[in-house]
Amino acid sequence: MKIKANCKINIGLDVLRKREDGYHDLSTVMVPVEGLYDVVEVVPVEGEENEFHSLGLVVDCPAEQNLCIKAARLMQQRYDVGKVSITLDKRVPFGAGLGGGSSDATAVLVAMNEIFSLSLDEPTLIALAAELGSDTAFFVRNSPQLCEGRGEIMTPIDLNLKGLWLVLVKPDEGVSTREAYAGVKPAVPARSLVERLADPITQWQGSVKNDFEPSVFAAHPVIADVKQQLLDAGAVYASMSGSGSTVFGLFDSKEKAEQLRPLTEYIYEL
Ligand code: C5P
């Protein structure tokens, strides 16, 4: 079974507080980007071991530690299912804040649910996904969601971005999730993210913020420059996604979005 494991962007990301368990409580809206995806193929095998094959972008991670293999093992621990061969065709940049690895892992859960006819319901898949990471649960729903808690408590949100053009720019410098959290200063904003997102999109800049930006931009000025370039090109709204380093811009016309073509191949109509 082959699945298109699309990536996501974060529109607004409030880091509210540090928790006792070392994680942070967040309030963020995640939106799927259908146009940019990895292809994950999962097939059952007779052998003693799971197999992992990778194509496309080179991931600097041993197969053993790949989240896809961890997802397969989790299913095999919990359910009476056989071994699998996973082929990952990697197209989504990593270290990017786009949730590519999380999406791949969730794709493996969803594929194994199908292949082995487990008939697991959505809450069960969400709980399994949340054991593998913080962004993974989102991809079970894969529609615009307000994500709270560690990221796994989801509420659907009606965010109408139809007609806008999305430009993603992945600067060469990556940012690790660990690095991003190390620099963040948690704070509870006066107005909730949902309230601020209800304002016209033309008022989002300066109000709908990503709390990772100040420290990440200080350490990587190149990323701040990319955001400024998107705004200078006429983006209605621009922000870093997740813990970076990808920066995205929303544009009200294809022409404006296409001006960024020399900088990126990732341009999509929403
Ligand atoms: O859960 P995930 O593997 O995506 O997170 C990687 C790291 O990011 C965690 O080990 C934790 O240090 C940090 N993190 C956090 N609060 C979150 C999500 C992640 O502190 N809500």
Side-chain angles (χ1 to χ4, degrees):
M1 175 173 196
K2 257 188 195 180
I3 294 189
K4 282 184 182 176
N6 62 265
C7 65
K8 56 84 182 170
I9 52 170
N10 298 76
I11 302 189
L13 197 164
D14 298 333
V15 180
L16 304 177
R17 64 187 74 82
K18 185 160 185 180
R19 313 186 336 178
E20 299 265 313
D21 63 4
Y23 283 92
H24 293 76
D25 279 326
L26 308 178
S27 179
T28 182
V29 166
M30 293 203 219
V31 175
V33 177
E34 304 288 350
L36 181 56
Y37 52 82
D38 295 334
V39 180
V40 184
E41 184 170 22
V42 185
V43 290
V45 288
E46 291 297 327
E48 292 292 298
E49 299 288 340
N50 293 310
E51 290 172 30
F52 182 73
H53 310 278
S54 65
L55 310 168
L57 298 176
V58 178
V59 187
D60 53 357
C61 165
E64 278 302 286
Q65 281 168 31
N66 192 288
L67 218 44
C68 289
I69 287 293
K70 290 186 181 171
R73 286 217 192 98
L74 179 64
M75 292 297 264
Q76 288 154 351
Q77 279 162 17
R78 298 294 160 80
Y79 305 99
D80 183 21
V81 295
K83 303 290 186 207
V84 289
S85 170
I86 300 169
T87 305
L88 172 62
D89 185 356
K90 192 89 197 139
R91 301 165 184 202
V92 177
F94 41 88
L98 296 172
S102 302
S103 186
D104 299 338
T106 301
V108 170
L109 299 180
V110 169
M112 289 178 75
N113 185 36
E114 284 293 315
I115 293 171
F116 296 110
S117 304
L118 294 173
S119 306
L120 304 178
D121 60 10
E122 188 188 87
T124 305
L125 285 169
I126 287 173
L128 286 166
E131 290 189 41
L132 295 165
S134 300
D135 291 348
T136 32
F138 163 77
F139 291 102
V140 175
R141 291 216 175 136
N142 208 28
S143 59
Q145 303 285 327
L146 171 69
C147 301
E148 297 174 295
R150 197 163 61 91
E152 82 288 17
I153 304 171
M154 294 181 282
T155 314
I157 181 167
D158 190 14
L159 200 64
N160 187 7
L161 303 172
K162 279 267 172 296
L164 291 171
W165 287 75
L166 171 68
V167 176
L168 302 175
V169 183
K170 165 67 178 68
D172 291 337
E173 293 179 30
V175 177
S176 75
T177 309
R178 196 169 295 272
E179 174 192 351
Y181 276 101
V184 82
K185 291 194 176 62
V188 178
R191 290 174 75 218
S192 74
L193 179 58
V194 171
E195 282 179 87
R196 284 172 283 142
L197 284 170
D199 293 337
I201 188 170
T202 48
Q203 291 174 25
W204 286 2
Q205 204 64 43
S207 149
V208 176
K209 290 183 288 192
N210 178 331
D211 283 344
F212 290 119
E213 283 188 0
S215 61
V216 170
F217 285 2
H220 306 271
V222 173
I223 306 175
D225 290 348
V226 170
K227 180 176 170 183
Q228 193 54 50
Q229 272 179 278
L230 290 170
L231 291 169
D232 291 346
V236 189
Y237 176 73
S239 173
M240 193 168 79
S241 181
S243 56
S245 61
T246 300
V247 176
F248 69 89
L250 300 175
F251 291 82
D252 59 11
S253 79
K254 184 178 184 182
E255 289 66 35
K256 286 181 197 163
E258 286 290 341
Q259 293 176 85
L260 279 308
R261 190 63 79 177
L263 213 58
T264 184
E265 60 185 289
Y266 308 124
I267 301 178
Y268 309 99
E269 186 174 13
L270 291 175

